[in-house]
Amino acid sequence: MTKPLRDLPIQARPGESAIAPVEIDGLPDEIDALGRRWQRKLEFHMTVIGAARIEELAREDPAVPDRVARVLAGCSVGPIYVTQELRRVRHPDEPGFETIVVMVDCPALAEVYGELSAGLGKRLYPPPAHVTLYSTDPERGIGLNDDDQLRERAPALSEQEQEDVRWAMRFDEVFETPRQP
């Protein structure tokens, strides 16, 4: 079982993705996996709602960015639990720009989306919950706003590929709860 990530309140600013920053200690700065070299992301977060999704909603109602920020700012989504599932995400428009994400379980996300849906007067669904750990550009991630994007941009890795990436990043040392004697 993984220990929960240390999360901070949601940061929600109009015109930006609403994110839940998380703290992760102990990941190597760089790893070699999946046939390439990866750099650890400079900051870690779980996206609550992406800027692209907010922009899409704002086409119908220009007040959406401000309302999203008002509903979400300062809310908490914790606890956030890391799963064993890793995925390689490829940017749809930038060949060579890729990330490695870990899928997470965030039980409170459904409730937060209930509040967000009520605040916007429109039924919304959470994105695939994940945290970007490594990237070919450590300052950037690649959005996964829905299950279609998850399938298209981040097809499942084989169990062997996932095991190789977990080993390279010392997954068990970083994320597993130490066993009590």
Side-chain angles (χ1 to χ4, degrees):
M1 169 125 181
T2 61
K3 59 189 172 192
L5 296 176
R6 293 182 305 272
D7 67 300
L8 301 169
I10 295 173
Q11 295 177 0
R13 296 179 192 97
E16 298 179 13
S17 296
I19 62 170
V22 296
E23 296 178 12
I24 301 173
D25 298 320
L27 287 172
D29 291 342
E30 294 184 339
I31 62 170
D32 290 308
L34 305 173
R36 73 176 316 153
R37 191 148 189 87
W38 302 88
Q39 296 176 325
R40 185 183 64 218
K41 188 100 173 350
L42 294 179
E43 58 80 33
F44 303 110
H45 66 266
M46 182 189 76
T47 300
V48 176
I49 184 169
R53 181 70 174 122
I54 295 169
E55 289 172 20
E56 179 185 310
L57 294 166
R59 287 188 204 118
E60 297 174 22
D61 179 358
V64 163
D66 289 328
R67 290 191 359 237
V68 167
R70 212 171 22 258
V71 170
L72 295 179
C75 291
S76 176
V77 292
I80 299 171
Y81 298 97
V82 170
T83 71
Q84 292 283 314
E85 183 180 4
L86 297 166
R87 291 193 181 222
R88 174 188 214 158
V89 184
R90 291 186 164 105
H91 195 283
D93 301 320
E94 296 180 46
F97 177 32
E98 300 178 329
T99 62
I100 295 175
V101 303
V102 64
M103 303 308 290
V104 297
D105 181 27
C106 181
L109 197 55
E111 183 179 327
V112 167
Y113 260 76
E115 293 173 23
L116 187 57
S117 294
L120 297 180
K122 181 177 185 115
R123 180 75 176 127
L124 300 175
Y125 299 93
H130 68 281
V131 175
T132 302
L133 302 176
Y134 287 92
S135 181
T136 55
D137 179 348
E139 295 182 14
R140 298 173 40 206
I142 301 170
L144 296 171
N145 293 303
D146 55 42
D147 289 336
D148 288 339
Q149 287 183 354
L150 181 67
R151 277 189 300 280
E152 293 164 7
R153 299 177 183 181
L157 296 173
S158 72
E159 186 51 47
Q160 185 60 56
E161 289 171 318
Q162 289 191 61
E163 186 58 37
D164 291 346
V165 176
R166 284 192 290 266
W167 181 84
M169 70 173 63
R170 300 189 325 247
F171 186 94
D172 290 346
E173 293 173 40
V174 174
F175 296 114
E176 295 295 318
T177 302
R179 290 190 167 83
Q180 300 299 319

